[in-house]
Amino acid sequence: MAKPSPAQIKAALQQAIKLRQTGQFSQSFQLLQQVTTVAPRLAEAHYHMALAAIDLHLPRTAVKSLATADRLKPKTPEILYTLCEAQMACYRHEDGLKTLRRLRQLMPKRRSIMLKEAMIRMQLGEFDSSNEVISQLIDGNPAYGENYRSYVQPRRIKEDDPIIPKMLAAYERDDLTTESRYHLCYALAKAYGDLRQDDKVFKYLNEANSLQRSADTPNMDGAAEEVDRLIEAQKDAVIPPAVEGEDRPVPIYVCGMPRSGTTLVERILGRHSEVSSAEELAIGSKLARAALGGTTKVPGQLGNVPQGTLDAVARRLRAAMAESADGDTKYVTDKSIMTFLTMPALALALPDARFVVVRRDPRDVALSIYRNHFAEGTHKYSMDLGDIAKQVVLFEKCVEAFREQMGDRMIEVQYEDLVEDPDTQIPRLVKGVNLPWQEACLHPEEGEGAVRTLSLGQVRVPVYKSAKGGWRRFADDMKPFIETYEALSNVPLRD
């Protein structure tokens, strides 16, 4: 076959880019593989193939493509920044820091690169070095609110911390953007909570959430109906007991509401020598929904999904887990929050998978969600206490609907029981996911590696119970949540 002309190669590259832009990631990746085969020195093709690999949750593959692109076109900021992101996604954080240093040499005044480095060091537990960088950023640009939130997030603020007068001075400025102001308000609420000045906490929390909500309006319309349809589509499928074959890795899903203790459970399991963590892949429920077919309003029945479709889902998920995990082990945890929506579908696609559902007092969950900032575009319900109540009720509805169907494929963990009696509850958890007992699981705080969730500070200390019942300090402020939750669930919340 004749070698394609430069014009044909360019056309194929543009087609692959369009495929990716329209969400056809696999087709884009496959076409880019062909392009790089016939044009191996085309850096742009390797770069876009890496982007498609990232969309497919294949970060190790992306790193290889980006390394090639970097060799062909060195000192390109877009390539280096994406390489850093891919390295972090597969837990190569030290390599990511080296890549960032190269970026800083190219753009020494770019503050966003300094903040990126600080966040990586924070995820690695290097809080002092991270704090030093963030403090420099605050002094250099006191009107940028995200720096304050990054400063207070992993540490307990004390009365003599110089960050407090700096934040108050920034709050009085009239040149803050909406985004900077709500980041600053989250930071002030966190600081005053640490100082036990509870009368000030919700003043700033309400302002932060109101500002963020105005910039990114949430919409819970239709959420309850969608959950009902997903339950109906899956409820009649028979879920067999777990059977381990030769496929690897074996998935352990950890799900629950945000801020319910899922990171703690993941870290406990991650201390086991046969378990690695892929953190939150956020791909399982998407693929499961696609496998059901039908439409958004009327999904197809799980019992009618061809086995070939389920097998394809399993291959995609295992590949993503293998490339995203922080080690090469038999078992990999994925704590994607929304897994609870499609547990039966995932259980059929992955006959060896087990599911851990983490429960916590809904009031503590709601308070912790409301006082934290989530990545843009995610958990939009988090900015309103009534919407949080609606989401908690939907989560509980799914768990109740699937409990009997899932059988021993699903184990429920109550956060309060876990922190009150870890010596009993941790062995129960380990046994529930069919792992042999290892004493190291009793000490999740000794786990190494990065933590890329909002719990990055909490999980590096021994299991503690001081967060239990924290909502009581703000009982009056929490009334919108409590009233909505009780009305929707018909379950009175008791002390």
Side-chain angles (χ1 to χ4, degrees):
M1 180 182 292
K3 183 179 179 179
S5 68
Q8 290 173 317
I9 292 172
K10 182 178 179 180
L13 175 59
Q14 292 303 313
Q15 182 184 356
I17 293 172
K18 288 181 179 179
L19 286 170
R20 178 176 169 268
Q21 291 171 341
T22 56
Q24 300 177 73
F25 307 131
S26 294
Q27 297 92 323
S28 174
F29 182 80
Q30 291 167 7
L31 182 54
L32 286 162
Q33 283 181 309
Q34 298 174 25
V35 173
T36 55
T37 298
V38 297
R41 297 193 59 77
L42 184 58
E44 189 178 4
H46 290 283
Y47 172 69
H48 283 284
M49 187 163 72
L51 295 180
I54 291 171
D55 291 327
L56 292 168
H57 297 269
L58 302 174
R60 297 185 191 182
T61 297
V63 167
K64 293 178 182 178
S65 296
L66 288 161
T68 301
D70 182 37
R71 287 196 301 271
L72 295 169
K73 199 174 181 180
K75 299 184 179 180
T76 303
E78 293 82 1
I79 293 174
L80 290 175
Y81 190 87
T82 309
L83 176 58
C84 173
E85 290 285 308
Q87 288 166 330
M88 290 170 58
C90 54
Y91 288 89
R92 291 171 54 177
H93 283 67
E94 292 301 329
D95 289 339
L97 287 171
K98 291 178 183 178
T99 302
L100 272 186
R101 283 194 286 271
R102 292 177 58 198
L103 259 177
R104 285 188 66 177
Q105 290 175 350
L106 292 175
M107 298 179 288
K109 296 183 179 181
R110 186 67 64 86
R111 291 191 178 98
S112 61
I113 298 174
M114 293 178 64
L115 180 58
K116 188 76 171 178
E117 179 180 348
M119 297 307 295
I120 294 176
R121 294 197 179 281
M122 192 184 297
Q123 292 166 5
L124 291 170
E126 300 174 9
F127 298 126
D128 290 339
S129 58
S130 171
N131 176 56
E132 183 178 344
V133 174
I134 294 174
S135 296
Q136 293 174 12
L137 289 169
I138 289 172
D139 292 339
N141 185 11
Y144 189 64
E146 187 173 357
N147 291 335
Y148 298 104
R149 189 177 59 78
S150 299
Y151 179 97
V152 304
Q153 181 183 345
R155 61 183 53 78
R156 185 167 293 278
I157 301 301
K158 299 179 180 178
E159 280 193 42
D160 60 351
D161 196 311
I163 196 64
I164 297 173
K166 290 180 181 180
M167 289 195 294
L168 291 174
Y171 183 77
E172 296 301 323
R173 296 175 66 123
D174 58 9
D175 61 343
L176 295 183
T177 65
T178 297
E179 184 177 3
S180 278
R181 186 166 292 279
Y182 66 64
H183 280 298
L184 176 60
C185 286
Y186 280 118
L188 281 163
K190 165 68 165 59
Y192 283 121
D194 289 346
L195 296 173
R196 310 289 290 192
Q197 297 184 29
D198 295 348
D199 58 317
K200 298 179 181 178
V201 172
F202 262 76
K203 168 192 172 183
Y204 292 110
L205 274 186
N206 287 337
E207 183 175 354
N209 282 284
S210 177
L211 287 170
Q212 191 177 3
R213 192 164 61 246
S214 67
D216 190 12
T217 306
N219 185 1
M220 292 289 289
D221 292 348
E225 292 78 6
E226 182 182 1
V227 167
D228 286 341
R229 290 190 290 266
L230 282 170
I231 291 174
E232 184 67 27
Q234 299 173 87
K235 69 175 186 175
D236 293 330
V238 177
I239 307 301
V243 177
E244 290 188 14
E246 298 299 318
D247 293 322
R248 296 290 181 269
V250 176
I252 301 175
Y253 285 100
V254 180
C255 63
M257 286 295 297
R259 314 300 298 154
S260 63
T262 53
T263 300
L264 174 59
V265 168
E266 177 199 44
R267 295 287 285 187
I268 290 170
L269 295 174
R271 290 287 287 145
H272 199 285
S273 63
E274 294 185 58
V275 180
S276 299
S277 167
E279 285 207 346
E280 299 181 30
L281 287 178
I283 186 177
S285 283
K286 292 179 182 177
L287 290 176
R289 288 190 190 204
L292 288 173
T295 65
T296 303
K297 291 188 175 181
V298 187
Q301 292 295 306
L302 176 56
N304 297 333
V305 177
Q307 187 60 47
T309 300
L310 294 174
D311 291 344
V313 168
R315 286 193 295 272
R316 282 279 306 275
L317 290 173
R318 292 189 202 276
M321 287 183 173
E323 291 216 7
S324 302
D326 60 355
D328 295 313
T329 56
K330 178 179 179 180
Y331 300 92
V332 171
T333 58
D334 175 1
K335 63 179 236 43
S336 299
I337 294 296
M338 303 304 287
T339 299
F340 63 84
L341 288 168
T342 55
M343 286 191 291
L346 290 170
L348 276 187
L350 298 156
D352 50 358
R354 293 184 183 270
F355 300 79
V356 181
V357 177
V358 186
R359 312 286 293 266
R360 186 183 182 186
D361 187 312
R363 294 162 292 193
D364 280 332
V365 168
L367 174 61
S368 191
I369 289 174
Y370 193 64
R371 73 197 310 177
N372 277 283
H373 172 266
F374 294 89
E376 305 300 336
T378 65
H379 305 300
K380 291 187 178 183
Y381 60 83
S382 67
M383 297 171 274
D384 181 89
L385 288 169
D387 284 348
I388 296 172
K390 295 174 185 176
Q391 186 67 22
V392 172
V393 169
L394 294 180
F395 158 69
E396 293 178 345
K397 187 174 187 177
C398 281
V399 176
E400 296 297 325
F402 297 144
R403 179 181 289 116
E404 183 176 351
Q405 181 184 15
M406 293 293 294
D408 66 359
R409 300 285 296 275
M410 182 183 89
I411 177 174
E412 294 179 67
V413 174
Q414 189 67 37
Y415 172 82
E416 289 80 8
D417 295 341
L418 180 61
V419 299
E420 190 70 38
D421 187 13
D423 289 346
T424 299
Q425 294 299 320
I426 291 177
R428 172 182 172 271
L429 166 65
V430 172
K431 181 180 179 181
V433 294
N434 202 38
L435 290 172
W437 173 246
Q438 290 185 3
E439 197 76 14
C441 296
L442 290 172
H443 303 285
E445 75 280 1
E446 296 178 7
E448 298 179 353
V451 181
R452 298 183 298 215
T453 73
L454 291 170
S455 303
L456 53 83
Q458 294 99 312
V459 296
R460 294 192 184 278
V461 297
V463 176
Y464 61 92
K465 53 188 176 183
S466 59
K468 189 174 72 169
W471 69 271
R472 291 186 178 89
R473 291 167 52 192
F474 309 98
D476 289 341
D477 296 296
M478 291 294 294
K479 283 182 179 177
F481 169 82
I482 294 171
E483 292 170 357
T484 304
Y485 176 88
E486 291 183 338
L488 291 174
S489 67
N490 295 315
V491 176
L493 290 169
R494 298 184 175 88
D495 290 346

